[in-house]
């Protein structure tokens, strides 16, 4: 039996964890509609959601029909999978705001206005759940699945057993898998959706859906549904993927700047880069194999990380954004720092120097001229005393906008970057910023 090309592709990329029997047969048989759900816990998505997005893109490229489901209804409850305690419930206004934001993000990767046969579809489960009464749901859906079956799922067992610091599970969360399972039934009935995909922690919820499809269509041969999950992405050092020191890495530039997004991928370890370039890019196998060999020969050049950062930043943002991020990344080593930093927009400058100690100095002091001792000590407290400032200047370790200066140097308005900032370095490791107000 021939394996499906999409399944083969996803397997060598390391993107298949579990797959229901005959899923590849179904994908070989016909154009298959498949869906993945996205939880509206925020008004954007972070890079942890890139994997399901990329799965949907692979699906579309293979000629199948992707459905992106936003959990407007399930988001009101909260998925217990992988959680040790119950999430705070969102109010309807916040939920609607989040759903709108996620629609905008997904629309950058999938063309929901396309007219082709396998055009992506965007749905919100609130649309079919909002008029479903509790009595109707309990009678029509609840009776199809036993409590024993629901309690056998890992996401439920871990919470009920008290593992991992769990504090139990409310009835609200207990119903989550049933509601998600009904989503699969609804999409199967109305869109002929036969496959649900998601992270490996979703296997229990997804298989509840395949069971509901079967039990709510008794005796129907066509009522077959399939499941496929991908591994949860981890980092080689065991730390959580998708986070930096500043928190989540988001797919929206107003939450995570393109520069920081690019830097995240650029700073990936060798071991992780080798794994991530298969998962997060669409480069073919021969290109990736060659990149890995080149990298192993000269790892100090970090060719793998550079290509990974380039591909993902272009996919999520744009080629122009990538070029600006590369330019900003090289600015610290530029021989023409002052002119090049002024050529970047102010927000990029602030991204590059985020977290650098900053002190405000009045504009009139800069316009009349600020001597170096005051700039390092009395006016800014960058250095502890005038004596330490003099020593640093005598050691020739102080630079203004990357140009070494002596004690007799006077800072003036000519030193301003974006007419507001002055960068001071003491040696290679200490940086300070004067912000002129």
């Amino acid at each position: 039996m021939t394996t499906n090309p999409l399944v083969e592709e996803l397997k060598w990329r390391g993107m298949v964890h579990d797959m229901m029997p005959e899923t590849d047969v179904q994908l070989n048989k016909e154009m298959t509609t498949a869906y993945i759900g996205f939880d509206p816990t925020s008004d954007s998505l972070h890079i942890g959601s890139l994997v399901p997005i990329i799965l949907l893109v692979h699906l579309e490229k293979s000629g199948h029909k992707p459905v992106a489901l936003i959990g407007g209804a399930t988001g009101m409850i909260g998925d217990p999978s992988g959680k040790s305690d119950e999430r705070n419930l969102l109010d309807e206004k916040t939920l609607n705001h989040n759903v709108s934001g996620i629609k905008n993000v997904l629309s950058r990767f999938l063309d929901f206005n396309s007219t082709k046969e396998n055009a992506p579809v965007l749905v919100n489960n609130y649309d079919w759940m909002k008029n479903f009464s509790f009595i109707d749901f309990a009678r029509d859906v609840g009776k199809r699945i036993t409590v024993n079956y629901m309690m056998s799922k890992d996401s439920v067992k871990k919470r009920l057993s008290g593992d991992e610091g769990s504090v139990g599970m409310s009835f609200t969360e207990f119903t989550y898998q049933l509601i998600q399972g009904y989503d699969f039934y609804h999409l199967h009935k109305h869109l002929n959706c036969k496959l649900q995909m998601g992270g490996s922690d979703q296997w229990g919820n997804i298989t509840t859906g395949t069971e509901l499809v079967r039990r709510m269509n008794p005796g129907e041969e066509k009522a077959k549904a399939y499941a496929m999950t991908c591994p949860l992405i981890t980092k080689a050092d065991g730390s959580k993927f998708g986070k930096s020191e500043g928190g989540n890495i988001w797919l929206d530039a107003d939450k995570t700047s393109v520069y920081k997004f690019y830097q995240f991928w650029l700073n990936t370890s060798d071991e992780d880069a080798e794994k991530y370039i298969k998962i997060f890019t669409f480069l073919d196998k021969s290109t990736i194999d060659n990149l890995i060999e080149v990298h192993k020969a000269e790892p100090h050049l970090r060719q793998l990380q550079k290509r990974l950062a380039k591909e993902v930043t272009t996919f999520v943002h744009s080629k122009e954004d990538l070029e600006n991020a590369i330019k900003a990344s090289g600015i610290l080593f530029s021989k023409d720092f002052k002119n090049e930093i002024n050529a970047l927009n102010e927000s990029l400058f602030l991204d590059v120097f985020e977290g650098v100690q900053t002190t405000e100095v009045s504009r009139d002091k800069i316009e009349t001229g600020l001597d170096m001792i005051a700039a390092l000590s009395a006016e800014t407290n960058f250095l502890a005393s005038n004596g330490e400032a003099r020593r640093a200047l005598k050691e020739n370790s102080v630079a203004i906008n990357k140009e070494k200066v002596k004690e007799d140097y006077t800072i003036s308005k000519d030193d301003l970057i974006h007419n507001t900032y002055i960068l001071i370095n003491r040696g290679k490791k200490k940086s300070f910023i004067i912000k002129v107000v």
Side-chain angles (χ1 to χ4, degrees), residues 130-189:
K130 63 186 175 185
N131 296 320
F132 217 151
S133 75
F134 177 76
I135 291 174
D136 287 341
F137 188 82
R139 184 190 63 195
D140 297 341
V141 182
K143 72 174 183 178
R144 313 282 180 173
I145 300 288
T146 66
V147 170
N148 289 15
Y149 179 88
M150 293 175 71
M151 289 182 70
S152 71
K153 303 297 184 180
D154 284 344
S155 59
V156 175
K157 281 197 293 188
K158 284 180 182 176
R159 289 288 291 275
L160 294 182
S161 67
D163 288 354
E164 300 170 3
S166 159
V167 292
M169 175 183 281
S170 69
F171 175 76
T172 303
E173 276 195 321
F174 185 62
T175 62
Y176 185 95
Q177 66 167 291
L178 212 52
I179 298 174
Q180 182 173 322
Y182 182 79
D183 288 342
F184 202 169
Y185 167 77
H186 178 91
L187 294 176
H188 184 277
K189 181 178 179 181

Side-chain angles (χ1 to χ4, degrees), residues 88 130 154 169 243 331 371:
N88 292 327
K130 63 186 175 185
D154 284 344
M169 175 183 281
K243 286 185 179 287
I331 210 87
D371 72 83

Side-chain angles (χ1 to χ4, degrees), residues 6-7 10-11 13-19 228-231:
L6 172 61
V7 174
L10 295 178
K11 278 184 174 177
R13 289 184 182 275
M15 297 178 76
V16 176
H17 186 270
D18 279 312
M19 189 170 68
M228 184 192 297
T229 61
C230 60

Side-chain angles (χ1 to χ4, degrees), residues 5 16 38 99 115 140 161 206 240 249 255 311 321-322 345-346 354 397:
V16 176
F38 295 86
V99 167
T115 56
D140 297 341
S161 67
I206 295 173
K240 190 169 182 179
I249 305 295
K255 286 182 177 288
E311 295 293 327
D321 288 328
L322 168 71
N345 62 47
E346 185 175 349
E354 184 183 20
S397 65

Side-chain angles (χ1 to χ4, degrees), residues 224-249:
K224 287 189 174 180
Y226 303 90
M228 184 192 297
T229 61
C230 60
L232 296 180
I233 307 301
T234 55
K235 291 170 77 171
D237 64 4
S239 61
K240 190 169 182 179
F241 170 77
K243 286 185 179 287
S244 67
E245 290 179 7
N248 284 326
I249 305 295

Side-chain angles (χ1 to χ4, degrees), residues 28-29 32 43-44 50 57 106 117 120 138 162 238 256 304 319 333 340 345 350 359 377 393 426 431:
N28 276 330
K29 182 179 165 185
T32 301
D43 60 359
S44 182
L50 255 187
V57 174
L106 292 172
E117 188 183 6
T256 298
L304 203 55
K319 191 173 180 182
F333 310 101
E340 288 197 20
N345 62 47
L350 294 173
T359 295
S377 180
L393 289 159
R426 194 226 172 141
S431 297

Side-chain angles (χ1 to χ4, degrees), residues 396-435:
N396 199 31
S397 65
V398 176
I400 297 295
N401 298 331
K402 295 290 181 177
E403 295 283 339
K404 290 287 181 69
V405 295
K406 301 288 187 184
E407 188 176 337
D408 60 357
Y409 189 82
T410 301
I411 296 176
S412 70
K413 62 182 181 181
D414 293 335
D415 293 306
L416 294 178
I417 297 168
H418 291 296
N419 199 37
T420 307
Y421 308 99
I422 298 160
L423 175 68
I424 301 178
N425 286 100
R426 194 226 172 141
K428 291 182 178 179
K429 294 187 178 178
K430 285 190 176 179
S431 297
F432 315 101
I433 290 175
I434 290 177
K435 182 179 181 181

Side-chain angles (χ1 to χ4, degrees), residues 185-384:
Y185 167 77
H186 178 91
L187 294 176
H188 184 277
K189 181 178 179 181
H190 294 278
L191 296 179
N192 194 29
C193 181
K194 294 185 177 178
L195 172 62
Q196 185 182 170
M197 301 187 293
S200 58
D201 60 337
Q202 290 296 308
W203 183 255
N205 291 336
I206 295 173
T207 51
T208 297
T210 62
E211 195 66 14
L212 260 183
V213 169
R214 187 177 66 81
R215 295 185 185 188
M216 292 181 78
N217 294 285
E220 291 187 34
E221 173 60 28
K222 67 179 182 179
K224 287 189 174 180
Y226 303 90
M228 184 192 297
T229 61
C230 60
L232 296 180
I233 307 301
T234 55
K235 291 170 77 171
D237 64 4
S239 61
K240 190 169 182 179
F241 170 77
K243 286 185 179 287
S244 67
E245 290 179 7
N248 284 326
I249 305 295
W250 296 91
L251 303 181
D252 273 320
D254 60 350
K255 286 182 177 288
T256 298
S257 71
V258 180
Y259 171 78
K260 282 165 67 179
F261 185 87
Y262 176 78
Q263 287 291 320
F264 172 84
W265 299 102
L266 197 62
N267 292 324
T268 303
S269 72
D270 289 352
E271 190 176 347
D272 286 334
E274 193 170 322
K275 179 169 74 170
Y276 294 168
I277 200 159
K278 296 174 185 175
I279 296 170
F280 293 102
T281 79
F282 296 92
L283 298 172
D284 61 48
K285 190 174 187 302
S286 62
T287 302
I288 288 176
D289 287 344
N290 183 58
L291 272 167
I292 290 170
E293 289 305 309
V294 168
H295 177 79
K296 284 179 177 175
E298 298 180 296
H300 62 284
L301 296 178
R302 299 179 69 77
Q303 294 294 340
L304 203 55
Q305 285 90 340
K306 288 175 182 176
R307 188 62 183 273
L308 172 66
K310 173 186 174 183
E311 295 293 327
V312 184
T313 304
T314 304
F315 176 64
V316 172
H317 296 288
S318 70
K319 191 173 180 182
E320 184 183 355
D321 288 328
L322 168 71
E323 288 167 357
N324 285 333
I326 292 172
K327 195 183 295 180
S329 298
I331 210 87
L332 297 177
F333 310 101
S334 169
K335 292 180 180 177
D336 191 16
F337 175 84
K338 179 82 182 298
N339 287 329
E340 288 197 20
I341 200 78
N342 266 313
L344 294 181
N345 62 47
E346 185 175 349
S347 63
L348 250 180
F349 168 84
L350 294 173
D351 288 336
V352 173
F353 293 101
E354 184 183 20
V356 173
Q357 185 182 345
T358 302
T359 295
E360 294 182 350
V361 173
S362 65
R363 187 168 294 275
D364 61 328
K365 287 182 179 176
I366 298 299
E367 289 180 347
T368 56
L370 183 64
D371 72 83
M372 282 309 304
I373 302 295
L376 289 168
S377 180
E379 285 294 332
T380 64
N381 292 317
F382 288 151
L383 300 183

